[in-house]
Tab-separated table of all heavy atoms in Angstrom:
chain	number	residue	atom	x	y	z
A	25	PHE	N	-6.808	-0.353	12.066
A	25	PHE	CA	-5.536	-0.850	12.654
A	25	PHE	C	-4.309	-0.299	11.873
A	25	PHE	O	-3.234	-0.199	12.423
A	25	PHE	CB	-5.467	-2.363	12.486
A	25	PHE	CG	-6.298	-3.156	13.516
A	25	PHE	CD1	-6.381	-4.524	13.375
A	25	PHE	CD2	-6.936	-2.530	14.530
A	25	PHE	CE1	-7.113	-5.280	14.266
A	25	PHE	CE2	-7.662	-3.291	15.461
A	25	PHE	CZ	-7.787	-4.676	15.325
A	26	TYR	N	-4.528	-0.065	10.560
A	26	TYR	CA	-3.379	0.105	9.686
A	26	TYR	C	-2.878	1.570	9.476
A	26	TYR	O	-2.929	2.100	8.390
A	26	TYR	CB	-3.667	-0.521	8.305
A	26	TYR	CG	-4.052	-2.000	8.485
A	26	TYR	CD1	-5.373	-2.416	8.681
A	26	TYR	CD2	-3.024	-2.949	8.566
A	26	TYR	CE1	-5.632	-3.805	8.879
A	26	TYR	CE2	-3.286	-4.277	8.754
A	26	TYR	CZ	-4.638	-4.705	8.963
A	26	TYR	OH	-4.921	-6.018	9.117
A	34	PHE	N	1.907	-5.231	11.700
A	34	PHE	CA	1.382	-6.328	10.895
A	34	PHE	C	2.479	-7.042	10.133
A	34	PHE	O	2.420	-8.289	9.972
A	34	PHE	CB	0.303	-5.779	9.912
A	34	PHE	CG	-0.398	-6.906	9.180
A	34	PHE	CD1	-1.038	-7.928	9.870
A	34	PHE	CD2	-0.395	-6.979	7.816
A	34	PHE	CE1	-1.601	-9.014	9.197
A	34	PHE	CE2	-1.015	-8.061	7.106
A	34	PHE	CZ	-1.645	-9.046	7.854
A	37	ILE	N	3.705	-9.490	12.543
A	37	ILE	CA	2.751	-10.580	12.691
A	37	ILE	C	2.945	-11.605	11.589
A	37	ILE	O	3.018	-12.812	11.867
A	37	ILE	CB	1.279	-10.046	12.717
A	37	ILE	CG1	0.980	-9.302	13.948
A	37	ILE	CG2	0.310	-11.184	12.469
A	37	ILE	CD1	-0.395	-8.652	14.030
A	43	TYR	N	1.820	-17.328	13.482
A	43	TYR	CA	0.935	-16.873	12.446
A	43	TYR	C	1.197	-17.540	11.102
A	43	TYR	O	2.028	-17.166	10.284
A	43	TYR	CB	1.047	-15.300	12.269
A	43	TYR	CG	-0.083	-14.712	11.449
A	43	TYR	CD1	-1.348	-14.633	12.020
A	43	TYR	CD2	0.158	-14.293	10.168
A	43	TYR	CE1	-2.407	-14.071	11.253
A	43	TYR	CE2	-0.920	-13.767	9.412
A	43	TYR	CZ	-2.169	-13.673	9.957
A	43	TYR	OH	-3.179	-13.149	9.225
A	45	VAL	N	-0.753	-18.055	8.577
A	45	VAL	CA	-1.611	-17.661	7.432
A	45	VAL	C	-0.716	-17.246	6.222
A	45	VAL	O	-0.868	-17.748	5.117
A	45	VAL	CB	-2.582	-16.538	7.821
A	45	VAL	CG1	-3.413	-16.105	6.663
A	45	VAL	CG2	-3.458	-16.938	9.005
A	153	LEU	N	-5.863	-11.512	-1.923
A	153	LEU	CA	-5.099	-12.604	-1.131
A	153	LEU	C	-5.165	-12.331	0.335
A	153	LEU	O	-5.781	-11.430	0.866
A	153	LEU	CB	-3.650	-12.586	-1.685
A	153	LEU	CG	-3.503	-12.704	-3.190
A	153	LEU	CD1	-2.038	-12.670	-3.556
A	153	LEU	CD2	-4.138	-14.022	-3.736
A	154	GLY	N	-4.402	-13.216	1.057
A	154	GLY	CA	-4.125	-12.986	2.455
A	154	GLY	C	-5.295	-13.215	3.376
A	154	GLY	O	-5.205	-12.818	4.572
A	155	SER	N	-6.387	-13.769	2.940
A	155	SER	CA	-7.583	-13.889	3.737
A	155	SER	C	-8.081	-12.576	4.185
A	155	SER	O	-8.682	-12.413	5.298
A	155	SER	CB	-7.373	-14.892	4.956
A	155	SER	OG	-8.647	-15.389	5.353
A	156	ASN	N	-7.848	-11.534	3.399
A	156	ASN	CA	-8.376	-10.213	3.745
A	156	ASN	C	-9.909	-10.240	3.801
A	156	ASN	O	-10.522	-9.470	4.599
A	156	ASN	CB	-7.923	-9.170	2.788
A	156	ASN	CG	-6.498	-8.746	3.041
A	156	ASN	OD1	-6.101	-8.632	4.202
A	156	ASN	ND2	-5.685	-8.524	1.993
A	157	ILE	N	-10.523	-11.097	3.021
A	157	ILE	CA	-12.001	-11.163	3.022
A	157	ILE	C	-12.479	-11.673	4.387
A	157	ILE	O	-13.619	-11.421	4.799
A	157	ILE	CB	-12.511	-12.108	1.850
A	157	ILE	CG1	-13.979	-11.848	1.666
A	157	ILE	CG2	-12.244	-13.572	2.149
A	157	ILE	CD1	-14.544	-12.268	0.315
A	158	GLY	N	-11.589	-12.390	5.113
A	158	GLY	CA	-11.947	-12.949	6.442
A	158	GLY	C	-12.235	-11.848	7.461
A	158	GLY	O	-12.879	-12.138	8.491
A	159	ASN	N	-11.765	-10.642	7.207
A	159	ASN	CA	-12.023	-9.573	8.172
A	159	ASN	C	-13.396	-8.899	7.907
A	159	ASN	O	-13.761	-7.927	8.531
A	159	ASN	CB	-10.905	-8.481	8.163
A	159	ASN	CG	-9.566	-9.094	8.578
A	159	ASN	OD1	-8.549	-8.906	7.860
A	159	ASN	ND2	-9.492	-9.812	9.715
A	187	ASP	N	-8.319	-18.289	4.645
A	187	ASP	CA	-7.825	-19.193	5.701
A	187	ASP	C	-8.947	-20.241	5.927
A	187	ASP	O	-10.115	-19.903	5.983
A	187	ASP	CB	-7.583	-18.373	6.956
A	187	ASP	CG	-6.770	-19.153	8.009
A	187	ASP	OD1	-6.150	-20.185	7.655
A	187	ASP	OD2	-6.735	-18.691	9.172
A	198	ALA	N	-2.291	-18.187	16.782
A	198	ALA	CA	-1.961	-17.233	15.689
A	198	ALA	C	-2.446	-15.845	16.016
A	198	ALA	O	-1.936	-14.872	15.515
A	198	ALA	CB	-2.621	-17.686	14.402
A	199	TYR	N	-3.510	-15.767	16.935
A	199	TYR	CA	-3.989	-14.427	17.333
A	199	TYR	C	-3.638	-14.157	18.800
A	199	TYR	O	-4.214	-13.191	19.374
A	199	TYR	CB	-5.533	-14.430	17.071
A	199	TYR	CG	-5.841	-14.551	15.580
A	199	TYR	CD1	-6.047	-15.786	15.000
A	199	TYR	CD2	-5.848	-13.368	14.816
A	199	TYR	CE1	-6.244	-15.862	13.620
A	199	TYR	CE2	-6.041	-13.490	13.457
A	199	TYR	CZ	-6.240	-14.706	12.826
A	199	TYR	OH	-6.424	-14.779	11.514
A	206	THR	N	0.467	-9.310	18.613
A	206	THR	CA	-0.948	-9.174	18.196
A	206	THR	C	-1.701	-8.352	19.238
A	206	THR	O	-2.559	-7.520	18.834
A	206	THR	CB	-1.591	-10.579	18.029
A	206	THR	OG1	-0.728	-11.385	17.267
A	206	THR	CG2	-2.932	-10.421	17.339
A	209	PHE	N	-0.871	-4.902	18.418
A	209	PHE	CA	-1.537	-4.500	17.187
A	209	PHE	C	-2.952	-4.020	17.481
A	209	PHE	O	-3.430	-3.020	16.906
A	209	PHE	CB	-1.554	-5.765	16.280
A	209	PHE	CG	-2.142	-5.650	14.904
A	209	PHE	CD1	-1.639	-4.736	14.009
A	209	PHE	CD2	-3.180	-6.480	14.515
A	209	PHE	CE1	-2.124	-4.645	12.723
A	209	PHE	CE2	-3.716	-6.404	13.223
A	209	PHE	CZ	-3.183	-5.486	12.317
A	210	ASN	N	-3.636	-4.724	18.382
A	210	ASN	CA	-4.991	-4.317	18.763
A	210	ASN	C	-4.983	-3.032	19.586
A	210	ASN	O	-5.757	-2.115	19.340
A	210	ASN	CB	-5.627	-5.450	19.567
A	210	ASN	CG	-6.220	-6.531	18.664
A	210	ASN	OD1	-7.366	-6.498	18.280
A	210	ASN	ND2	-5.366	-7.508	18.283
A	245	SER	N	-11.169	-10.984	18.031
A	245	SER	CA	-10.217	-10.397	18.970
A	245	SER	C	-10.976	-9.282	19.781
A	245	SER	O	-11.535	-8.401	19.147
A	245	SER	CB	-9.054	-9.730	18.225
A	245	SER	OG	-8.169	-10.737	17.790
A	275	GLU	N	-11.860	-7.167	16.018
A	275	GLU	CA	-11.644	-7.708	14.690
A	275	GLU	C	-12.304	-9.134	14.638
A	275	GLU	O	-12.226	-9.868	15.603
A	275	GLU	CB	-10.164	-7.822	14.426
A	275	GLU	CG	-9.867	-8.402	13.054
A	275	GLU	CD	-8.345	-8.521	12.778
A	275	GLU	OE1	-7.647	-9.076	13.630
A	275	GLU	OE2	-7.850	-8.029	11.729
A	276	ILE	N	-12.860	-9.456	13.481
A	276	ILE	CA	-13.183	-10.802	13.222
A	276	ILE	C	-12.326	-11.360	12.092
A	276	ILE	O	-11.972	-10.594	11.195
A	276	ILE	CB	-14.718	-11.034	12.838
A	276	ILE	CG1	-15.042	-10.280	11.574
A	276	ILE	CG2	-15.657	-10.631	13.957
A	276	ILE	CD1	-16.246	-10.833	10.914
A	277	SER	N	-11.945	-12.604	12.206
A	277	SER	CA	-11.099	-13.268	11.168
A	277	SER	C	-11.843	-14.581	10.813
A	277	SER	O	-11.630	-15.598	11.455
A	277	SER	CB	-9.696	-13.580	11.698
A	277	SER	OG	-9.050	-12.328	12.028
A	278	ARG	N	-12.645	-14.510	9.824
A	278	ARG	CA	-13.483	-15.630	9.399
A	278	ARG	C	-12.616	-16.692	8.738
A	278	ARG	O	-11.722	-16.346	7.888
A	278	ARG	CB	-14.534	-15.089	8.436
A	278	ARG	CG	-15.659	-15.844	8.104
A	278	ARG	CD	-16.130	-16.921	7.495
A	278	ARG	NE	-17.542	-17.101	7.789
A	278	ARG	CZ	-17.923	-18.050	8.633
A	278	ARG	NH1	-17.098	-18.862	9.197
A	278	ARG	NH2	-19.263	-18.212	8.830
A	279	LYS	N	-12.855	-17.931	9.090
A	279	LYS	CA	-12.224	-19.062	8.462
A	279	LYS	C	-13.240	-19.751	7.569
A	279	LYS	O	-14.455	-19.775	7.936
A	279	LYS	CB	-11.622	-20.055	9.506
A	279	LYS	CG	-10.770	-19.371	10.590
A	279	LYS	CD	-9.658	-18.602	10.090
A	279	LYS	CE	-9.020	-17.692	11.141
A	279	LYS	NZ	-8.088	-16.701	10.536
B	1	AVI	C1	-5.280	-8.983	7.395
B	1	AVI	N1	-5.960	-10.103	8.089
B	1	AVI	C2	-6.287	-11.165	7.159
B	1	AVI	C3	-5.289	-10.600	9.318
B	1	AVI	C4	-6.138	-11.775	9.967
B	1	AVI	O1	-5.522	-12.838	10.050
B	1	AVI	O2	-7.319	-11.578	10.169
B	1	AVI	C5	-5.168	-9.473	10.333
B	1	AVI	C6	-4.600	-9.960	11.624
B	1	AVI	N2	-5.111	-9.693	12.807
B	1	AVI	C7	-4.392	-10.254	13.741
B	1	AVI	N3	-3.414	-10.902	13.177
B	1	AVI	C8	-3.511	-10.707	11.874
Side-chain angles (χ1 to χ4, degrees):
F25 283 174
Y26 302 91
F34 188 55
I37 288 176
Y43 194 72
V45 181
L153 307 177
S155 205
N156 281 323
I157 197 161
N159 299 129
D187 194 15
Y199 295 91
T206 313
F209 183 58
N210 279 269
S245 282
E275 182 180 50
I276 61 159
S277 299
R278 196 294 169 252
K279 311 301 166 194

